Amino acid sequence: MAKAFVIDVSRCSGCYNCQLACKDEYVGNEWTPYSKSQAQIGQFWLKVQDNVCGTMPKVKIHYIAKLCNHCRKAACMEACNHGAIYRREDGFIIIDPVKCKGCRDCQAACPYEAIYFNDELHIAQKCTGCAHLLDNGHTMPRCVEACPTDAMKFGEEEELKDWIEGASVMIPETGLLPRVYYRNIPGKFIAGTVYDPVKEEVIIGAKCRLNSGGKVWETMTDDFGDFWFKDLPVGLFDLVISAPGFEYKTFKNLKTAKDINLGDIPLEIIVEKSDNKKD
Ligand code: SF4
Ligand code: SF4
Ligand code: SF4
């Protein structure tokens, strides 16, 4: 039965405990035939990536722990011409540190940049799934054990199916079928601050209406004049902002390929047109 990891991004606090635990397990420790000692510098078999989205002051940050995906169609394994990479019964992909010839073909083949090169030992290295621990009675890899927020789950893929349902994998278009799944990766956001340029004060309760292909999202500006549309899909959006006594403002074709901070948005006061004609 194959093992899998499920990482709930919404629970990750960015404490880096998993990254540190992995280093602690492998730097200076020889686990042949599973792995040789990891280089102290430049290697992170698990890397916590911080994603800063938006621009000041509308910024959100989330953290994603990345490691080898132990892919069902492992490109690294197919690329190795020395028979140094193999798949275990539990699904883990292992680089045999004795058979590895240091040609780096596997490193070039992995689209997830999960393989590192150890210059001193002249071998390719990566996450082993802590196979040496699991084979010796442990139930969890070091990284999972170290997570204080329960953001990482590990176990039989079948037993994790409720967690895996609705989860996504990194770069699914690679077609490599990863066994590391991610839940709750935040969508994109569109945000801004609405204000009255004459009074030089924010407008509270302005109506903000977002439309994409007929689907509508609505919100109001808060006590600071701010609005946020969160967890949006990637696409094109039209935004209309209106408030009583002000001209409405429209933004067309906002593209959420990345998060959008529209900054400070002035709404002009509606000027009553006076009839100047004289009889
Ligand atoms: S993530 Fe890269 S190194 Fe890991 S199994 Fe897939 S192709 Fe191989
Ligand atoms: S499973 Fe083990 S080797 Fe892989 S990232 Fe976690 S601690 Fe590191
Ligand atoms: S240990 Fe858990 S909470 Fe901390 S960075 Fe890793 S996944 Fe996130």
Side-chain angles (χ1 to χ4, degrees):
M1 289 245 284
K3 307 277 189 197
F5 292 81
V6 186
I7 298 173
D8 186 340
V9 175
S10 68
R11 296 182 76 106
C12 175
S13 62
C15 68
Y16 292 84
N17 279 9
C18 49
Q19 187 174 301
L20 290 170
C22 184
K23 294 290 291 182
D24 180 61
E25 185 64 25
Y26 293 93
V27 174
N29 291 325
E30 161 100 23
W31 301 120
T32 307
Y34 304 92
S35 61
K36 288 197 185 288
S37 174
Q38 183 186 136
Q40 182 151 23
I41 295 170
Q43 287 206 24
F44 296 99
W45 297 358
L46 184 151
K47 194 168 173 55
V48 178
Q49 188 183 70
D50 54 337
N51 297 275
V52 182
C53 307
T55 50
M56 285 298 281
K58 300 277 188 299
V59 173
K60 295 269 176 221
I61 186 161
H62 63 268
Y63 303 90
I64 301 186
K66 291 188 172 170
L67 61 156
C68 167
N69 285 295
H70 298 283
C71 308
R72 286 180 188 77
K73 292 186 180 175
C76 54
M77 195 164 85
E78 285 169 21
C80 179
N81 292 315
H82 302 282
I85 305 184
Y86 63 98
R87 184 193 312 279
R88 288 165 42 109
E89 269 186 17
D90 56 13
F92 287 141
I93 304 290
I94 305 285
I95 304 175
D96 185 322
V98 178
K99 287 188 179 166
C100 178
K101 298 283 179 266
C103 67
R104 301 178 85 150
D105 287 347
C106 56
Q107 195 181 23
C110 173
Y112 295 102
E113 297 179 356
I115 298 180
Y116 295 85
F117 195 70
N118 189 318
D119 289 317
E120 202 183 315
L121 302 176
H122 200 68
I123 53 171
Q125 295 184 296
K126 68 168 193 70
C127 161
T128 64
C130 286
H132 68 291
L133 293 177
L134 299 183
D135 287 353
N136 284 286
H138 289 250
T139 53
M140 293 288 154
R142 282 290 306 271
C143 52
V144 180
E145 233 173 41
C147 178
T149 64
D150 213 15
M152 299 184 80
K153 298 236 175 284
F154 172 81
E156 300 294 341
E157 197 156 4
E158 179 60 23
E159 285 165 14
L160 291 172
K161 65 177 189 302
D162 289 349
W163 289 86
I164 291 171
E165 199 181 315
S168 49
V169 296
M170 288 296 157
I171 335 178
E173 51 275 26
T174 62
L176 300 190
L177 307 176
R179 279 207 168 86
V180 179
Y181 297 89
Y182 293 87
R183 291 171 65 84
N184 297 318
I185 295 178
K188 303 299 175 188
F189 71 73
I190 296 176
T193 306
V194 182
Y195 74 104
D196 174 346
V198 177
K199 289 189 181 161
E200 293 186 343
E201 59 188 34
V202 299
I203 301 174
I204 299 166
K207 194 171 157 191
C208 308
R209 192 170 192 273
L210 201 59
N211 186 319
S212 178
K215 191 170 176 195
V216 170
W217 293 256
E218 285 187 335
T219 190
M220 311 269 258
T221 53
D222 62 15
D223 289 352
F224 305 98
D226 291 340
F227 67 89
W228 291 87
F229 290 99
K230 294 177 188 165
D231 279 328
L232 298 170
V234 173
L236 284 178
F237 292 82
D238 294 339
L239 170 65
V240 180
I241 303 171
S242 59
F246 293 90
E247 303 277 0
Y248 65 83
K249 190 145 218 159
T250 305
F251 293 87
K252 288 269 184 204
N253 293 328
L254 295 170
K255 197 172 176 184
T256 51
K258 55 184 183 177
D259 302 280
I260 299 172
N261 174 16
L262 293 167
D264 295 338
I265 304 164
L267 291 193
E268 305 301 331
I269 293 172
I270 295 173
V271 181
E272 297 291 339
K273 284 189 184 121
S274 57
D275 190 353
N276 291 328
K277 278 190 203 161
K278 290 199 177 130
D279 295 327

